[in-house]
Amino acid sequence: MTNMTTRAGLSVDEGLAALLETQVLAPLNRDADGFWQGFAALLAEFAPRNAALLAKREDMQSQIDAWHKTHAGKPHDAAAYQAFLREIGYLVPEPGDFQIGTQNVDAEIATMAGPQLVVPILNARFLLNAANARWGSLYDAFYGTDTLDAAPAKPGGYDTARGDAVIARGREFLDSALPLAGQSWADMADENDGKLQDESQYVGKTAKGLLFVNNGLHIEVVFDRETPVGKTDKAGIADIMVESALTTIADCEDSVAAVDAEDKLSAYTNWLGIIRGDLQESFEKGGRTLTRELAGDKAYTDASGDAQSLSGRSLMFVRNVGHLMTNPAIRLADGGEIPEGIMDAVFTSAISTLDVEGHAKFGNSKHGSIYIVKPKMHGPEECAFTNDLFDAVEDLLGLARHTIKVGVMDEERRTSANLAACIHAVRDRIVFINTGFLDRTGDEMHTSMYAGPMMRKGAMKASPWLTAYEGRNVAIGLKHGLSGKAQIGKGMWAAPDLMGQMMAEKIGHLRAGANTAWVPSPTAATLHALHYHAENVFEIQKHLPEPAGLDALLTIPLAANKNGDANWSEDELRDELDNNAQGLLGYVVRWVDAGVGCSKVPDINDVGLMEDRATLRISSQHIANWLLHGVVTQDQVMDSLTRMAAKVDAQNAGDPTYVPLIGNEDGAAFSAAKDLIFKGVDQPSGYTEPLLHAWRLRKKAG
């Protein structure tokens, strides 16, 4: 239990109050008493509205459940179903023609196309790595991954054969992105040799290299014959640095386990360090203590001889939590916890105001904007609530209207089915829409829980609704003017060790019209950046089709036989249960026991996947659906959980802090996993947060 203090009738954690008052409000010359009075008034207006929206979610879900129960065993009538959804307000009328009106958007979001990182805000080291991933070594990315066809590096020192393959591949990239007139980059003798086919690609000269641009992204060719690579290179090229993660989302939501005031204080402290520019993290490596901090800008001299610079860091978003959860860090006068999403909006915006008003070492937004991603909103009414909330936060902090920009995660069924209306609700502050397959699938299954047993999880990727969802997200964004003003994004590549496969597949996101897409690491960002040199997304966007209708999007991903006998063999049922149970347990044990919200978790085939709560939502909802419809029994689920617990224990055997699941079946982690499945039908929208938070708090309490 943390120590609490009273502010304007609110009970506030002392650490949070001190952070805000001494390190944020004081430098901003804001009156602390006035702030707390305004915050209390804001809560009095918006906390009840927040609760009413959550109640509306549950009311709609109850009506949809009842509809499916009434129509059980009958052929699905798509037209009647859509009419019903309109009748209850689940589907709303399309807005008329409009274009978004967002102003003062940084180039990294509006007019540049490139990779995006999402990083847990509680991990300062990862946060710094991501923020510094604006520039990456192409040589390192090639050498250290499976991207090349060449054999992997031999252990114990520099592998010359692999190094040669890296250099050759680097020259191929330069020939493609920056073609020379009449020769290859492989033929160059030094930095003065060769002439660009398009001289406008030349940007300037850095301390040790030449700076170029292609498709809006920069490339620095480093010449340095004093380095081991440069001294053996014909032209003296020591490395190729590519502009990589243009933007990074510091995540307060799905990738963290933040359940109380202690956790929220850590989150806000790290965000403060990023915004002020003074975040540091020390760690041990190779017997030495290293300290990581934010990178400085990249200086260069342009063609006219004038000194210039490019940012050395990603442009930072912060992802607030959604509308669902409350947090004990601040309580109302009646003792109730405040909505965590409202707390995030106020605290992260107050901290970001330091950047807006010039109290930052480097500066984040050159246009005085604050960038917040808002997840898990259900439909336009909830988007309008966020717009009103951000209005109120701007008034509380004395900021100009629409200083706070919003990114809308299109990851709930009611949002994707009403996406144009959702965009319209935030049309003057929207800077981002993004799809999320896992959460969207979890909501798809929960919304239609009583319609029948769902198809196997792997088959979802080929289901009609998913293709429609991905296509409509881009098409609707383009129709309403996001190109050149905002990001249209695609979801995560989850396998950080399978970069060769990523390079073969993820270019599809650009060809589908996405001007940003999520990657799991700085190295992945450097490699994915090559896709944006190969394809000009903004040209692609000009030729994409108009949005399709709702029919495919609202196709329910049911198994072929809707009566509970889907003709799967016992082996198929066991494989599906095992896959879900292993992924669920592998994630839950880290979340509940260690407070780790995102990490590389081995899957059932021992392939490391970056997983967060969205993974858990889809797995738990899938098993819950099959249980509900009698596809599997509780005994079969428990058998799978027990066998997969042993597998997860074996996968974590090298961790001395790990507490095994087997032998601790009554412990918090295994109990949470069971609850997520056996109580899954009754969880709000199928979300995992209420149960995870409850078990994590119990674990922290000992």
Side-chain angles (χ1 to χ4, degrees):
M1 186 71 179
T2 59
N3 294 321
M4 308 294 280
T5 185
T6 301
R7 297 288 189 275
L10 303 172
S11 182
V12 185
D13 172 76
E14 287 184 347
L16 280 178
L19 177 79
L20 195 72
E21 291 170 2
T22 63
Q23 299 192 58
V24 180
L25 298 178
L28 291 172
N29 198 30
R30 300 295 202 276
D31 174 63
D33 289 340
F35 168 85
W36 289 112
Q37 292 289 343
F39 188 20
L42 183 152
L43 285 166
E45 177 182 354
F46 285 93
R49 285 182 62 184
N50 194 102
L53 289 170
L54 296 179
K56 187 169 184 176
R57 287 185 192 176
E58 291 305 301
D59 179 60
M60 280 191 176
Q61 186 61 56
S62 295
Q63 294 182 72
I64 293 171
D65 290 345
W67 194 89
H68 286 306
K69 291 174 184 177
T70 300
H71 293 78
K74 302 175 185 176
H76 181 66
D77 186 336
Y81 180 56
Q82 282 196 38
F84 160 72
L85 294 178
R86 295 185 191 283
E87 180 184 328
I88 66 172
Y90 186 96
L91 295 176
V92 302
E94 289 274 310
D97 289 339
F98 72 94
Q99 299 286 290
I100 66 168
T102 317
Q103 302 292 322
N104 299 317
V105 184
D106 286 86
E108 291 90 337
I109 294 170
T111 58
M112 299 174 72
Q116 186 169 66
L117 289 169
V118 183
V119 61
I121 200 169
L122 291 178
N123 191 312
R125 182 178 172 185
F126 290 177
L127 188 54
L128 286 163
N129 289 346
N132 289 342
R134 179 63 174 262
W135 294 89
S137 163
L138 192 56
Y139 279 7
D140 286 351
F142 283 151
Y143 190 89
T145 69
D146 68 347
T147 307
L148 299 181
D149 292 334
K154 298 174 183 176
Y158 182 69
D159 185 319
T160 303
R162 185 169 183 80
D164 290 346
V166 166
I167 291 168
R169 179 65 183 85
R171 294 298 204 275
E172 290 176 11
F173 165 67
L174 292 177
D175 283 340
S176 173
L178 305 169
L180 300 175
Q183 72 179 89
S184 164
W185 279 83
D187 301 326
M188 287 183 63
D190 57 44
E191 65 182 277
N192 298 311
D193 188 16
K195 181 181 179 182
L196 291 169
Q197 286 185 14
D198 181 358
E199 294 186 4
S200 69
Q201 289 187 295
Y202 177 73
V203 174
K205 188 174 180 60
T206 63
K208 289 190 175 182
L210 300 176
L211 193 63
F212 305 93
V213 68
N214 178 56
N215 287 349
L217 289 178
H218 293 89
I219 304 165
E220 182 188 19
V221 182
V222 180
F223 294 86
D224 189 350
R225 295 189 184 274
E226 300 301 315
T227 64
V229 174
K231 72 181 180 182
T232 61
D233 186 87
K234 178 181 177 180
I237 295 177
D239 206 346
I240 301 169
M241 302 295 293
V242 296
E243 198 168 18
S244 302
L246 296 182
T247 53
T248 287
I249 299 172
D251 188 21
C252 297
E253 198 236 7
D254 263 357
S255 70
V256 299
V259 300
D260 57 18
E262 176 188 31
D263 296 332
K264 297 304 289 188
L265 180 59
S266 294
Y268 298 148
T269 299
N270 284 346
W271 184 240
L272 178 65
I274 285 290
I275 289 298
R276 285 196 312 213
D278 57 6
L279 183 65
Q280 292 185 337
E281 180 73 3
S282 296
F283 55 96
E284 298 293 324
K285 186 174 183 179
R288 296 187 301 148
T289 299
L290 303 178
T291 299
R292 191 149 292 161
E293 58 187 13
L294 287 170
D297 290 339
K298 185 177 289 291
Y300 69 95
T301 303
D302 67 18
S304 300
D306 295 329
Q308 306 285 356
S309 67
L310 294 171
S311 178
R313 300 156 309 282
S314 276
L315 182 74
M316 301 298 295
F317 286 81
V318 59
R319 182 159 70 165
N320 290 179
V321 305
H323 297 328
L324 177 65
M325 297 303 293
T326 61
N327 194 284
I330 301 177
R331 293 181 180 274
L332 301 166
D334 63 4
E337 299 176 1
I338 73 166
E340 189 176 355
I342 295 178
M343 180 168 68
D344 273 356
V346 171
F347 273 72
T348 60
S349 295
I351 291 166
S352 299
T353 302
L354 292 166
D355 178 56
V356 175
E357 299 191 359
H359 299 275
K361 180 179 179 180
F362 299 111
N364 185 44
S365 169
K366 292 181 175 64
H367 294 279
S369 291
I370 296 168
Y371 298 108
I372 294 177
V373 175
K374 190 68 179 178
K376 294 181 171 56
M377 293 189 290
H378 293 242
E381 191 176 6
E382 295 194 11
C383 292
F385 170 83
T386 292
N387 191 67
D388 292 347
L389 173 63
F390 286 1
D391 279 353
V393 173
E394 288 163 348
D395 293 343
L396 173 66
L397 297 171
L399 297 171
R401 183 64 74 236
H402 303 138
T403 294
I404 304 173
K405 307 301 193 286
V406 69
V408 174
M409 294 296 301
D410 176 10
E411 57 190 346
E412 307 299 325
R413 192 170 184 259
R414 186 151 53 109
T415 292
S416 53
N418 299 286
L419 183 58
C422 290
I423 293 172
H424 186 265
V426 289
R427 60 192 176 277
D428 291 323
R429 64 170 86 245
I430 191 165
V431 290
F432 167 101
I433 56 174
N434 198 84
T435 55
F437 164 69
L438 294 175
D439 261 315
R440 180 64 177 76
T441 305
D443 194 57
E444 183 74 28
M445 290 191 290
H446 188 84
T447 301
S448 304
M449 181 64 70
Y450 284 90
M454 298 292 161
M455 61 179 61
R456 293 185 68 177
K457 195 168 66 174
M460 291 278 184
K461 295 180 180 178
S463 56
W465 74 262
L466 179 60
T467 303
Y469 162 60
E470 292 287 355
R472 278 171 51 88
N473 185 78
V474 174
I476 291 171
L478 294 176
K479 179 179 179 179
H480 296 296
L482 270 69
S483 185
K485 293 182 180 179
Q487 290 179 324
I488 300 176
K490 294 289 185 182
M492 181 64 76
W493 178 265
D497 297 327
L498 302 181
M499 291 292 97
Q501 187 179 347
M502 183 193 80
M503 292 304 291
E505 295 182 19
K506 201 168 176 65
I507 197 167
H509 282 166
L510 286 75
R511 292 169 179 164
N515 58 335
T516 194
W518 288 358
V519 287
S521 68
T523 296
T526 296
L527 292 169
H528 185 41
L530 304 191
H531 290 147
Y532 297 88
H533 288 283
E535 299 281 5
N536 186 322
V537 180
F538 295 110
E539 285 301 313
I540 290 172
Q541 289 178 342
K542 294 176 182 177
H543 306 289
L544 292 175
E546 288 286 306
L550 284 171
D551 290 350
L553 183 75
L554 295 175
T555 302
I556 301 171
L558 296 172
N561 185 325
K562 297 185 292 183
N563 298 318
D565 176 14
N567 300 319
W568 291 301
S569 69
E570 288 299 313
D571 286 344
E572 288 174 319
L573 293 176
R574 186 171 57 252
D575 287 347
E576 189 72 15
L577 278 181
D578 286 355
N579 184 290
N580 278 319
Q582 186 276 338
L584 189 154
L585 287 165
Y587 180 74
V588 167
V589 72
R590 298 186 186 202
W591 209 101
V592 172
D593 282 357
V596 175
C598 181
S599 62
K600 188 168 70 173
V601 180
D603 71 1
I604 198 166
N605 298 310
D606 299 313
V607 175
L609 301 178
M610 296 301 294
E611 299 199 341
D612 65 12
R613 274 199 309 248
T615 311
L616 193 59
R617 187 183 182 193
I618 182 175
S619 296
S620 58
Q621 286 295 292
H622 196 263
I623 301 176
N625 171 264
W626 276 18
L627 273 169
L628 177 67
H629 294 284
V631 178
V632 295
T633 66
Q634 182 166 328
D635 286 344
Q636 287 175 303
V637 173
M638 285 304 304
D639 173 70
S640 182
L641 283 172
T642 301
R643 287 185 293 102
M644 291 303 102
K647 182 174 181 64
V648 169
D649 285 349
Q651 290 174 325
N652 287 278
D655 182 354
T657 66
Y658 178 77
V659 178
L661 292 161
I662 297 298
N664 290 287
E665 288 85 354
D666 292 331
F670 199 82
S671 298
K674 289 190 297 182
D675 276 358
L676 287 162
I677 294 169
F678 297 123
K679 299 178 181 178
V681 171
D682 299 322
Q683 296 310 296
S685 305
Y687 289 130
T688 61
E689 289 92 313
L691 291 171
L692 282 179
H693 280 230
W695 282 108
R696 175 63 182 157
L697 285 166
R698 197 176 305 186
K699 179 72 176 181
K700 290 186 76 170

